[in-house]
Amino acid sequence: MEFMANDFMAAQFKHRTEAVPVLGLADWFNCEEGETPQWTVRGITGNELARANEALLKNKKLAIFTEALVAAGKSKSESVREVQEALGVSDDVHGEIAKRLEMLVMGSVNPTIDLPVAVKLAENYPIEFYMLTNKITTLTGQGQQVEEK
């Protein structure tokens, strides 16, 4: 069986997306009566997946950096801990969660979010957080879609 490299190279691709019902987040969506709240996610690229896989290392480096902001000889201030929590960085963040936080930020289409929103979602709605990041993983594994001509 031959791989058709020329056809592959000529193809135009687009992200695979899917709307995920997030009933637990209904209070945070402007839904009409009877409308289901949905969070649209996409598969991420190989480069984005590599960045997500490096999240634990980045997490540790940012934790060290925020600690270094406190002058030598002083105890770690509450404000530094708050900054770390807002950024979702500390030695307490499990590597898998750090990876999934990055995936959610990169893979969220509607709504688009930043890291502090992802952190708050993971802390307060862990089931929805895992549902969304599992869907991103599934879509990533399926690869991108070929655009129709």
Side-chain angles (χ1 to χ4, degrees):
M1 176 182 313
E2 180 184 345
F3 177 64
M4 298 179 295
N6 290 338
D7 292 345
F8 179 77
M9 292 303 294
Q12 297 296 312
F13 293 93
K14 65 180 180 179
H15 290 287
R16 201 175 289 273
T17 62
E18 191 167 323
V20 179
V22 285
L23 298 176
L25 298 173
D27 290 344
W28 309 108
F29 280 81
N30 254 346
C31 292
E32 299 293 324
E33 184 74 28
E35 188 179 15
T36 302
Q38 294 184 337
W39 193 299
T40 303
V41 295
R42 67 170 175 85
I44 57 177
T45 66
N47 190 51
E48 290 170 331
L49 184 57
R51 288 188 358 230
N53 286 331
E54 290 179 344
L56 177 59
L57 179 59
K58 181 179 87 171
N59 185 53
K60 287 183 179 184
K61 286 180 180 179
L62 282 171
I64 291 167
F65 173 73
T66 55
E67 288 177 21
L69 291 176
V70 178
K74 292 185 180 179
S75 64
K76 186 189 251 187
S77 70
E78 185 61 30
S79 62
V80 169
R81 277 193 292 276
E82 288 175 4
V83 167
Q84 287 180 333
E85 287 175 12
L87 292 173
V89 298
S90 75
D91 292 333
D92 297 337
V93 176
H94 188 277
E96 179 67 16
I97 297 298
K99 173 184 172 179
R100 286 176 179 264
L101 290 169
E102 292 292 329
M103 289 174 66
L104 186 59
V105 170
M106 290 183 280
S108 289
V109 174
N110 187 17
T112 56
I113 61 167
D114 58 13
L115 189 56
V117 173
V119 169
K120 192 160 189 164
L121 181 69
E123 287 296 314
N124 295 287
Y125 293 91
I127 298 300
E128 287 77 5
F129 173 73
Y130 268 87
M131 284 178 8
L132 293 167
T133 55
N134 284 344
K135 182 55 70 178
I136 292 168
T137 300
T138 299
L139 294 170
T140 300
Q142 292 172 347
Q144 294 195 15
Q145 294 176 301
V146 176
E147 287 188 10
E148 298 293 325
K149 293 183 180 180

